[in-house]
Amino acid sequence: MRSKTTYDGRARAVITLTVLVCLLVPVFGFQLCRSTVIPAAETRVLISLSKWPEVFHDCSAMFAFMFSTGGCVALLAMLGIIDFRFVRSLRTVLGDIIVAASPIVYVTGIKWLVERPRPITAAQSNLLPSDPSFPSGHTAGAVIVATMIILTVRNAAYRKMGDASGQYRGGGEASARSTSDNAEQNIIADYTKRAVLVCAILVVAVAASRLLLGVHFPTDVCTSAIVCPLISYTVWIIREHLRLAKEQRNNA
């Protein structure tokens, strides 16, 4: 009961934080549009980044195509197929995709609500999207793909441990089951942590690529990198609570 209360408390805290951040983001965006000091400072950063070696700009152009709308759809489709191989449930895969892709609705809405102009460094770019600058859609796309990768790795770990536990529990002893459960949870947590670390590096790389191309202000990419994981995590928490509630009703 105590762990359930703690979990519920954490869930409420995350949901509350996400709602507050989502409410503050448009306010922050309007302030950025009215400000002259912050965009000027950010533009100086972008100009300095434009002097980096050409190889960084080539990699940034590659990320621009990979995490465009079409690129993200293709990556999600591929990850969905991989995810299905582990879970063997179309409903679970669709749920994972919804969790991963949920931030894009919010990001798109804020873009057209705030309508922050692109930086002047984007004027000569042939990779400039037609939508407003704030928040970064490509960074949101990177978070979406990263979230799907994490969910897929997590499902793969559960599948692997499920197979292993099925063999190990053949003896039927309670102590063996308890020891096995703890070991499995530790391994799954380890897989998940590694996936989160790799995906965090991916999101940072994509966010940096948007700055190197000069098509986004630093505050654009930072906002997406903060709010998008919060939204996906909140949707995942709600999904898990609904799933557990359904299981409890079925077992009652």
Side-chain angles (χ1 to χ4, degrees):
M1 180 64 70
R2 184 175 180 179
S3 62
K4 185 177 186 297
T5 302
T6 303
Y7 178 78
D8 287 345
R10 184 178 64 180
R12 286 194 297 269
V14 172
I15 293 172
T16 301
L17 176 62
T18 302
V19 171
L20 289 175
V21 170
C22 287
L23 291 174
L24 289 174
V25 163
V27 177
F28 180 55
F30 287 128
Q31 289 296 326
L32 290 173
C33 289
R34 287 193 289 264
S35 174
T36 56
V37 176
I38 296 177
E42 292 185 293
T43 300
R44 288 194 293 270
V45 173
L46 297 179
I47 292 173
S48 66
L49 290 175
S50 66
K51 300 175 183 178
W52 281 33
E54 192 65 26
V55 62
F56 291 103
H57 295 274
D58 292 338
C59 291
S60 298
M62 179 186 69
F63 279 137
F65 288 111
M66 285 181 61
F67 295 95
S68 63
T69 300
C72 286
V73 170
L75 289 172
L76 279 179
M78 288 188 292
L79 289 168
I81 293 171
I82 296 171
D83 196 22
F84 182 78
R85 291 189 61 188
F86 297 120
V87 298
R88 299 296 179 183
S89 169
L90 183 59
R91 183 174 182 177
T92 300
V93 173
L94 290 176
D96 288 344
I97 291 175
I98 290 172
V99 169
S102 54
I104 198 61
V105 177
Y106 176 80
V107 168
T108 302
I110 296 300
K111 272 180 173 289
W112 293 105
L113 175 66
V114 175
E115 290 189 318
R116 186 186 192 188
R118 296 275 176 169
I120 59 173
T121 52
Q124 303 302 320
S125 176
N126 59 355
L127 297 172
L128 181 63
S130 59
D131 56 349
S133 188
F134 178 88
S136 168
H138 277 71
T139 305
V143 173
I144 288 169
V145 172
T147 302
M148 191 63 189
I149 291 173
I150 293 169
L151 293 173
T152 302
V153 169
R154 189 170 179 271
N155 288 336
Y158 269 107
R159 173 69 180 272
K160 180 178 180 180
M161 292 304 102
D163 292 342
S165 64
Q167 297 173 3
Y168 184 81
R169 292 177 187 176
E173 296 184 6
S175 59
R177 288 197 299 269
S178 177
T179 302
S180 177
D181 287 342
N182 291 335
E184 290 164 14
Q185 290 301 322
N186 289 336
I187 293 173
I188 291 168
D190 185 55
Y191 272 97
T192 304
K193 288 177 182 178
R194 292 181 184 182
V196 169
L197 176 60
V198 172
C199 289
I201 294 173
L202 172 65
V203 171
V204 170
V206 174
S209 74
R210 305 308 288 164
L211 303 181
L212 285 165
L213 292 174
V215 295
H216 275 294
F217 293 104
T219 45
D220 299 336
V221 299
C222 288
T223 299
S224 282
I226 292 171
V227 72
C228 292
L230 281 174
I231 293 174
S232 286
Y233 188 37
T234 296
V235 175
W236 179 81
I237 287 174
I238 295 172
R239 174 195 176 191
E240 288 300 294
H241 271 272
L242 292 174
R243 181 182 64 81
L244 290 173
K246 182 178 180 181
E247 288 182 358
Q248 290 174 358
R249 288 195 301 269
N250 291 338
N251 294 332

